[in-house]
Amino acid sequence: MNNMDEHKKLTTAILHELQDLFSIKEQVRNRQAGSIGRIKNGLDKDNLSQRQLEILSLINREPNSTNTRLSKLLNISKPAISRLTSKLVEQRLIEFNYFENNKSKIYHLTSEGKTVAATHDILHKQATSAYEKILSTFSDTELQVVKLFIQRLRDHLQDSLN
C-alpha cells in the first residue's frame, strides 16, 4: 500500500474516532447537566450553558466580580456577559448590587449558586484529572502533535462562528 492510501485510511479512521468522541462527550455533558439539574432542586430546570457554569465558578472564586472582570476572564463581550448573567439572576443562582456609581453590577452567588458552582468545580477537576492521566501516556513529540491538532480544530470551529 502506498503512502497516499495509508494517509487516506488514517484520515478516515481519525474522522470516525472524532465522531465517536463528540457523541460520547455529548452523553457525558448531558449526564453532568443532569447531576447539576438534580442539585438545583426546585429551580428552573433549563440546562445551564458551559459559559454560565464558568461564570458561576468564576464568581465563586472571585466574589464581587463585575461584567468587565468576567468579560476579561472569559474573553467574551460585555453584552454576552450581560445576557448570561441575566439568566443566572432569573434562576436565582446569582444576585447583584451596584457600585456607588450605580453603573457597574457586582455579582455574588446565592446559596443555590454556590452549590451548582461547587458541583461544576468537582466535575471539572474530575475531567481534568482524567485528561491528565490520558496525556501522561504520550511522549513529548506526540503531545506536540495533539496540541497542534486541537489548536487547528479550535481555530476552524472559531472561524465557522464568524
Side-chain angles (χ1 to χ4, degrees), residues 99-115:
F99 266 127
E100 292 176 10
N101 64 11
N102 282 339
K103 290 186 179 180
S104 298
K105 292 178 181 177
I106 304 170
Y107 297 104
H108 57 275
L109 298 176
T110 64
S111 59
E112 294 92 348
K114 288 177 184 176
T115 301

Side-chain angles (χ1 to χ4, degrees), residues 86-103:
S86 291
K87 177 119 181 183
L88 293 170
V89 168
E90 286 174 22
Q91 293 184 321
R92 296 183 185 97
L93 296 172
I94 63 173
E95 296 174 336
F96 63 89
N97 297 320
Y98 286 100
F99 266 127
E100 292 176 10
N101 64 11
N102 282 339
K103 290 186 179 180

